[in-house]
Amino acid sequence: MSWGISLILLSILAVPSLLLSKKPNAKELLEKFEPYQGWIGMVFCFWGIWGIVSAILTIGWLSTWPILWITYLVGNIVTAALGFMLGYGLINKYVLSKNEAAKAKAEVMRAKIAPKQGKLGLIGLVLGAWMIVSSFLFVVS
């Protein structure tokens, strides 16, 4: 359930235009998060990458809980992508600064993902809600 809640919060940060169209006074709230947006994005990017690794390590779920495993994997891919978009500046500064080839690959990846940030944010909202619902429907022991 915490994965779903965090994905919804990350998606709200990634799609501010959607939030601003619904609540005009939300601009002040979003401006408060702006200085921390890079750090939030960097943390979520690494958390999403860790989730992808965890999904691969628990691939046994695919035979017993396929919907849950696919949800877990896709949710973490979206989390990593949105986190990368929000935290690109800091990731570039602290992680990629010493490797020019990695920096170039990251810039290409960012150029591919940037136009899709709004769609990824909307997918993240829906997927986050589904992750919360599925945590109640499927109890994995």
Side-chain angles (χ1 to χ4, degrees), residues 39 42 46 87-98 103:
W39 288 105
M42 194 162 83
F46 289 114
Y88 179 75
L90 287 176
I91 292 170
N92 196 17
K93 181 178 177 182
Y94 291 115
V95 179
L96 304 174
S97 62
K98 294 182 174 90
K103 214 179 210 183

Side-chain angles (χ1 to χ4, degrees), residues 46-114:
F46 289 114
W47 191 12
I49 291 169
W50 172 249
I52 293 168
V53 170
S54 289
I56 292 169
L57 292 175
T58 59
I59 199 161
W61 286 10
L62 196 53
S63 62
T64 54
W65 301 95
I67 294 172
L68 191 62
W69 187 82
I70 291 169
T71 300
Y72 185 59
L73 178 64
V74 173
N76 284 306
I77 290 171
V78 172
T79 300
L82 288 175
F84 177 76
M85 289 304 299
L86 291 176
Y88 179 75
L90 287 176
I91 292 170
N92 196 17
K93 181 178 177 182
Y94 291 115
V95 179
L96 304 174
S97 62
K98 294 182 174 90
N99 189 343
E100 290 300 320
K103 214 179 210 183
K105 286 181 183 179
E107 185 59 42
V108 169
M109 187 186 325
R110 183 175 189 270
K112 286 181 182 177
I113 297 175

